[in-house]
Amino acid sequence: EVVLTQSPGTLSLSPGERAALACRASQSVDSLYLAWYQQKPGQAPRLLISGASGRATGIPDRFSDSGSGTDFTLTISRLEPEDFAVYYCQHYGSSFWTFGQGTKVEIK
Amino acid sequence: DVQLVQTGAEVRKPGESLKISCKTSGYRFSTNWVAWVRQMPGKGLEWMGMIFPGDSDTSYSPAFQGQVTISADTSTNTAYIQWTRLKASDTAIYYCARLSESPKSDFENWGQGTLVTVSS
């Protein structure tokens, strides 16, 4: 089972700033099977970026992902007020799905 | 539009049983895996298990194997998860989610969540 560790736990930034959220896997994984989700308070998570198919429908291009092997990053180029939320990375492999523990992006 | 609509909030006592539902629309139910994900209060997301409605094939996380049963009804495009004996530690929000077709790696669409409270 792959363990995903996200950092930092909380990121305090101002609107307009750039956010870089890290996701480290306990072993090398295929980026094709690494995805990112956003969850706002009281709402279900929603798929942001799929390793296999890129940004999900309706996701603005200020969201991007990068990385390979064990280290992956979700970047939000310029934070909008609606981007303050919790973000999770997720991996699929060997018929098992795992999530990172999440990074909260809060308004500074 | 793909939609997954879940049962409303439920309150049960420890030891009681429960079955919650996830009614889907807007896609071909029988050919997409549907998963269940737990979120305990203030915590992260945990994959519990999933079902392929077309042949009722299931796959469970070892952490939840034997604790829950996942099923589906193709006549109503509805997936279910059930408990036979709830514990206080089952208190959580439970989400159903449709997996991407190929690869079946991502949780593409989500239900709104069902809050289950288990308390005496």
Side-chain angles (χ1 to χ4, degrees):
Chain A
E1 176 190 335
V2 173
V3 176
L4 300 177
T5 303
Q6 294 186 242
S7 61
T10 302
L11 201 49
S12 298
L13 295 168
S14 300
E17 289 194 294
R18 178 176 174 274
L21 287 64
C23 176
R24 173 164 285 179
S26 57
Q27 61 193 140
S28 184
V29 301
D30 189 333
S31 61
L32 200 68
Y33 303 129
L34 198 290
W36 292 90
Y37 300 81
Q38 177 193 66
Q39 186 177 32
K40 296 180 181 180
Q43 295 186 18
R46 71 164 172 167
L47 177 65
L48 282 179
I49 298 178
S50 159
S53 53
R55 277 189 302 276
T57 302
I59 302 303
D61 61 7
R62 64 179 179 272
F63 291 92
S64 63
D65 68 333
S66 61
S68 63
T70 60
D71 293 299
F72 299 87
T73 302
L74 173 71
T75 301
I76 311 171
S77 59
R78 285 179 58 86
L79 282 164
E80 297 288 340
E82 61 268 27
D83 299 337
F84 291 92
V86 178
Y87 293 84
Y88 295 94
C89 57
Q90 171 255 315
H91 175 258
Y92 160 66
S94 302
S95 297
F96 200 90
W97 287 256
T98 55
F99 291 91
Q101 83 280 17
T103 290
K104 181 180 181 180
V105 179
E106 66 175 22
I107 299 176
K108 186 174 182 180
Chain B
D1 274 10
V2 174
Q3 287 197 313
L4 294 86
V5 179
Q6 299 184 227
T7 310
E10 299 276 6
V11 180
R12 292 287 188 278
K13 292 180 166 49
E16 292 187 339
S17 63
L18 176 65
K19 188 174 187 178
I20 62 176
S21 66
C22 170
K23 183 165 177 58
T24 73
S25 61
Y27 73 97
R28 193 171 175 188
F29 180 66
S30 60
T31 59
N32 285 256
W33 288 85
V34 175
W36 289 90
V37 175
R38 183 175 78 172
Q39 188 167 40
M40 298 180 76
K43 301 298 183 183
L45 305 169
E46 301 172 88
W47 170 67
M48 301 175 70
M50 55 209 284
I51 188 164
F52 189 77
D55 60 7
S56 295
D57 187 22
T58 53
S59 177
Y60 292 91
S61 164
F64 294 95
Q65 180 83 48
Q67 308 303 307
V68 297
T69 301
I70 296 171
S71 58
D73 181 348
T74 54
S75 69
T76 60
N77 294 341
T78 303
Y80 301 91
I81 186 169
Q82 65 182 72
W83 296 258
T84 54
R85 290 188 60 83
L86 286 161
K87 298 173 284 192
S89 59
D90 292 318
T91 294
I93 297 173
Y94 294 88
Y95 295 100
C96 62
R98 168 182 167 260
L99 266 76
S100 52
E101 289 207 27
S102 182
K104 59 178 192 288
S105 52
D106 313 320
F107 301 93
E108 277 196 346
N109 308 96
W110 295 70
Q112 83 277 20
T114 297
L115 173 62
V116 173
T117 303
V118 184
S119 174
S120 54

